[in-house]
Amino acid sequence: MSQQSDDLTRKRIVFHVDLDYFYAQCEQVRKPELRDKPVAVCIYSGRTEDSGAVSTANYAARALGVKSGLPIIVAKRIAAGRVEFIKADLDYYESVSMRIMAILRSCSSIFEQASVDEAYIEMHDISYGKAVAIAEDIKKKILEAERLTCSVGIGSNKLMAKMAAGFRKPDGLTLVREEENEKFLEDMQVGDIFGVGKVTEAKLNEMGIHTVSELRSMDLYTLQSKFGSSMGIWLYNASRGIDDEAVKERQREQYGKIVTLKSDTRDANTILSAANEMADEVATMVRADNQMFKTVSFIGILEDLSIRSKNKTLQEFADSGEAISGVMGELVERFLSEHEGKLRRIGIKVSNLSERKMQKKLWDF
Ligand code: DCP
Ligand code: CA
Ligand code: CA
């Protein structure tokens, strides 16, 4: 065979694109003065001045020990004066994300957004060489449009693409050929396999299994008897780089919005008017996606930060703000009669979605 394996077309190639230190990079793009500084983006809970957690940090801040999940107070203790602490602006990151997802969606009809900053793209009948060129082009497009870097993994399935994307960050591009899957995984820890959670990892470690190659030495029967039949087979396959999950667009399951009240209260009128103010906004999001909803929920976050909700299912699918406001009085009343204490934040949510039928549109004429 004279042909190199790179020139052969592959039946299925999956790309995983993950934006680098996403929230922090978004901040650096709009504030160029942050370009060369360690940056941490924080979600403040509002309780006391510095309560809350770091949602992400750029790599310079990570080098100083500041990373996702760290309490802000601790992060500031570690890196006082050396790291810029910025309040998260989720709406802004969401808008950047939506524009980037539109770019990625245009690359292939087989597309799946997996989170605010990552997506899978599937292509057929291209060579690995061509796949690398496409990945380079994707990176260039995102850089040109939004000045953001990302890391891309190319693999024979979703699992391998995801693992490849995490291999070299930031600004990475990693190709794992199908025949390299086992080699790529074997020295990793079982907990490094995407999808293996803390509980499974601990259980495997207890059984004396730490590396992926040790996991691969387990027979299917033993794995299934310890982890159940579907988890057992998943582990068996994952340790070999086998995964047949489809890349498919995820359906959204709900739309909603939450606000903090001006002051903690249990005054029904104050709560109701704040809830109704959000109704049109939520309904507009639903209509923009050509969806309808059947269930409306009122969510209350009490002074002790516990979250409670009341919901009502409508007779018919609806897509208007009035349909939400129409049941809000009843929901708020039920909420207040069942829960004591003042409300600190409130939210509304619609769920039980259905795509708006084409017929409905025709009827509208
Ligand atoms: N995020 C968060 N809280 C966490 C983890 C993440 O709010 N505990 C948010 C902030 C991140 C974004 O989600 O910017 C994407 O998460 P990633 O895990 O992809 O992390 P980053 O993009 O920040 O960094 P990396 O370069 O490692 O992908
Ligand atoms: Ca990321
Ligand atoms: Ca991510």
Side-chain angles (χ1 to χ4, degrees):
M1 290 213 293
S2 61
Q3 207 172 24
Q4 279 212 311
S5 76
D6 265 7
D7 298 322
L8 294 171
T9 64
R10 303 280 151 174
K11 207 167 138 7
R12 181 190 192 206
I13 283 189
V14 179
F15 300 76
H16 183 262
V17 179
D18 188 331
L19 300 162
D20 299 322
Y21 51 101
F22 181 49
Y23 293 0
Q25 214 187 162
C26 286
E27 293 295 348
Q28 287 181 306
V29 165
R30 70 170 167 182
K31 300 192 193 94
E33 67 275 18
L34 297 174
R35 258 291 157 205
D36 302 312
K37 293 197 172 142
V39 172
V41 176
C42 302
I43 298 193
Y44 292 89
S45 68
R47 272 283 102 163
T48 62
E49 196 185 312
D50 275 342
S51 63
V54 172
S55 86
T56 196
N58 66 3
Y59 286 65
R62 289 181 203 186
L64 298 170
V66 173
K67 53 185 177 217
S68 295
L70 205 64
I72 297 166
I73 298 172
V74 176
K76 288 195 173 171
R77 205 180 297 141
I78 294 173
R82 295 187 290 166
V83 170
E84 293 287 332
F85 289 90
I86 297 166
K87 182 171 176 287
D89 178 354
L90 300 177
D91 289 342
Y92 167 58
Y93 314 140
E94 185 66 38
S95 65
V96 175
S97 165
M98 276 165 59
R99 293 196 298 266
I100 292 174
M101 292 303 156
I103 295 173
L104 297 176
R105 193 176 275 113
S106 72
C107 295
S108 168
S109 60
I110 313 176
F111 169 85
E112 174 178 340
Q113 180 173 351
S115 77
V116 68
D117 79 329
E118 60 194 79
Y120 294 95
I121 296 167
E122 180 172 322
M123 292 188 192
H124 293 165
D125 304 321
I126 57 170
S127 66
Y128 286 130
K130 174 77 178 164
V132 169
I134 290 170
E136 277 165 354
D137 187 52
I138 287 172
K139 286 166 68 81
K140 189 159 151 256
K141 275 189 183 144
I142 295 175
L143 192 62
E144 280 171 1
E146 300 292 335
R147 284 175 289 147
L148 288 180
T149 63
C150 62
S151 296
V152 181
I154 306 170
S156 52
N157 56 49
K158 284 171 82 174
L159 176 67
M160 293 312 300
K162 168 90 184 175
M163 303 284 294
F167 184 70
R168 209 171 75 84
K169 282 181 133 288
D171 204 14
L173 200 184
T174 304
L175 161 69
V176 181
R177 293 173 178 83
E178 188 162 21
E179 55 274 25
E180 298 165 338
N181 286 359
E182 296 203 352
K183 183 96 193 80
F184 180 76
L185 296 172
E186 70 189 2
D187 294 330
M188 292 188 184
Q189 298 296 301
V190 286
D192 294 336
I193 301 177
F194 178 67
V196 172
K198 287 268 170 283
V199 176
T200 306
E201 181 185 14
K203 209 162 152 184
L204 285 165
N205 289 349
E206 259 171 49
M207 294 160 62
I209 299 165
H210 297 271
T211 66
V212 176
S213 62
E214 285 163 356
L215 176 58
R216 205 182 299 147
S217 70
M218 301 292 293
D219 64 89
L220 179 58
Y221 175 80
T222 310
L223 287 173
Q224 289 190 315
S225 65
K226 299 264 186 198
F227 295 94
S229 77
S230 62
M231 187 64 183
I233 189 136
W234 185 84
L235 285 169
Y236 184 89
N237 284 332
S239 69
R240 290 163 176 77
I242 299 167
D243 169 41
D244 56 13
E245 272 302 296
V247 174
K248 58 170 185 292
E249 186 102 56
R250 289 181 198 182
Q251 274 290 338
R252 232 181 122 141
E253 283 167 3
Q254 59 183 56
Y255 293 82
K257 194 175 169 171
I258 291 186
V259 291
T260 303
L261 295 166
K262 290 199 183 71
S263 57
D264 296 1
T265 182
R266 52 183 287 118
D267 177 65
N269 287 329
T270 309
I271 293 168
L272 191 56
S273 68
N276 284 339
E277 255 176 53
M278 298 185 280
D280 275 330
E281 223 176 304
V282 170
T284 304
M285 295 193 278
V286 173
R287 287 194 300 273
D289 285 351
N290 210 26
Q291 297 278 334
M292 312 224 290
F293 56 85
K294 209 169 178 186
T295 300
V296 178
S297 307
F298 170 79
I299 300 156
I301 296 152
L302 297 156
E303 286 167 304
D304 63 358
L305 297 186
S306 62
I307 303 173
R308 300 281 179 271
S309 67
K310 284 284 149 247
N311 56 65
K312 186 175 176 74
T313 296
L314 309 172
Q315 302 277 333
E316 311 249 350
F317 281 100
D319 64 3
S320 68
E322 290 81 54
I324 300 173
S325 319
V327 296
M328 207 39 73
E330 177 194 331
L331 291 174
V332 170
E333 191 181 313
R334 272 167 53 204
F335 187 96
L336 291 172
S337 70
E338 286 173 41
H339 302 292
E340 288 178 354
K342 291 181 176 172
L343 278 73
R344 180 184 170 79
R345 309 182 76 200
I346 62 158
I348 62 175
K349 181 182 94 178
V350 297
S351 56
N352 209 342
L353 303 175
S354 166
E355 198 155 344
R356 196 187 236 275
K357 294 280 178 294
M358 213 48 205
Q359 283 90 320
K360 178 88 162 63
K361 275 199 179 149
L362 294 174
W363 275 115
D364 285 348
F365 279 101

